[in-house]
Amino acid sequence: MVNVTPPVTRLRVIVAEDDVLLREGVASLLARSGFDVVGQAGDAAQLLALVRDIAPDLVVVDIRMPPTGTTEGLDAARVIRGELPETGILVLSAYADVEDAIELLAGGRRIGYLLKSRITDVEEFVETLRRIAKGASVIDPVLVQELVSARRRDDPLAVLSMREREVLALMAEGRSNAGIARRLWVTEGTVEKHVRSILTKLDLPETGDDHRRVLAVVTFLEAR
């Protein structure tokens, strides 16, 4: 009997960016990295039309798009999340905006907020998209580090140990327990214990583990 290896399913992606050169560059990068770029959009209206027609696995969208160049991309992301909750969304921004990041994470799984400068690290950018497609919520590490060093005096994370804060910061980057273990040079079992302790100390409601992780990260982002 001959074993036949099933074909690898390519993730279908729509790229939305009003800068034509950047849009084409991201699309080309993703195509070379094994993604199937099924559409490109230059504004939010075109993006929503494509998403409704194709129902892609992932959407990469600039936070600022025509006609006003303010929050059209973010607004489109909200609509997509409401209509197609299983579609992963990565919002790109030129600047780190805490409020936008918190709002995105509160939307649940398969969501990400990344600075445009991160695109230059191709391997990390591609890995971020794959993590989002698998259900992770990802926040740019630069924003995470800014928040770590800018705590409010009334810090809801004061109950956490330094190691637990490190684990929570890596959770905010969308890393799995295995990924956190590799970064901190500890066992995955040790990370699992830290995660359970974090969820307990933050007194998060007993819901699905994935959703509790998102709530923990939202708490982390709001503690600024």
Side-chain angles (χ1 to χ4, degrees), residues 104-125:
L104 282 170
L105 260 193
R109 303 169 68 240
R110 294 188 177 89
I111 199 81
Y113 180 99
L114 209 62
L115 297 182
K116 286 185 176 181
S117 58
R118 195 70 55 183
I119 298 175
T120 57
D121 187 336
V122 175
E123 185 176 340
E124 182 69 20
F125 180 60

Side-chain angles (χ1 to χ4, degrees), residues 34-163:
F35 293 85
D36 185 7
V37 180
V38 293
Q40 297 185 40
D43 58 49
Q46 187 180 10
L47 168 63
L48 290 175
L50 284 171
V51 169
R52 287 164 176 155
D53 182 50
I54 300 172
D57 302 303
L58 288 164
V59 170
V60 179
V61 56
D62 185 2
I63 203 168
R64 302 178 188 278
M65 299 191 74
T68 68
T70 54
T71 62
E72 281 85 354
L74 184 61
D75 295 337
R78 292 193 196 101
V79 174
I80 295 168
R81 177 42 47 104
E83 295 182 4
L84 295 167
E86 294 304 309
T87 295
I89 303 171
L90 175 61
V91 173
L92 298 177
S93 178
Y95 308 99
D97 190 305
V98 175
E99 298 302 325
D100 289 341
I102 291 173
E103 180 179 350
L104 282 170
L105 260 193
R109 303 169 68 240
R110 294 188 177 89
I111 199 81
Y113 180 99
L114 209 62
L115 297 182
K116 286 185 176 181
S117 58
R118 195 70 55 183
I119 298 175
T120 57
D121 187 336
V122 175
E123 185 176 340
E124 182 69 20
F125 180 60
V126 168
E127 179 59 25
T128 294
L129 279 174
R130 295 194 188 282
R131 292 208 307 268
I132 290 173
K134 292 178 181 177
S137 295
V138 180
I139 295 295
D140 195 286
V142 171
L143 181 58
V144 170
Q145 292 306 313
E146 286 184 4
L147 295 173
V148 168
S149 60
R151 297 283 177 218
R152 292 182 304 199
R153 185 167 58 186
D154 182 18
D155 186 359
L157 304 184
V159 295
L160 302 183
S161 68
M162 287 301 297
R163 177 60 91 181

Side-chain angles (χ1 to χ4, degrees), residues 161-172:
S161 68
M162 287 301 297
R163 177 60 91 181
E164 287 167 348
R165 288 186 182 221
E166 289 178 329
V167 170
L168 184 52
L170 292 170
M171 287 168 60

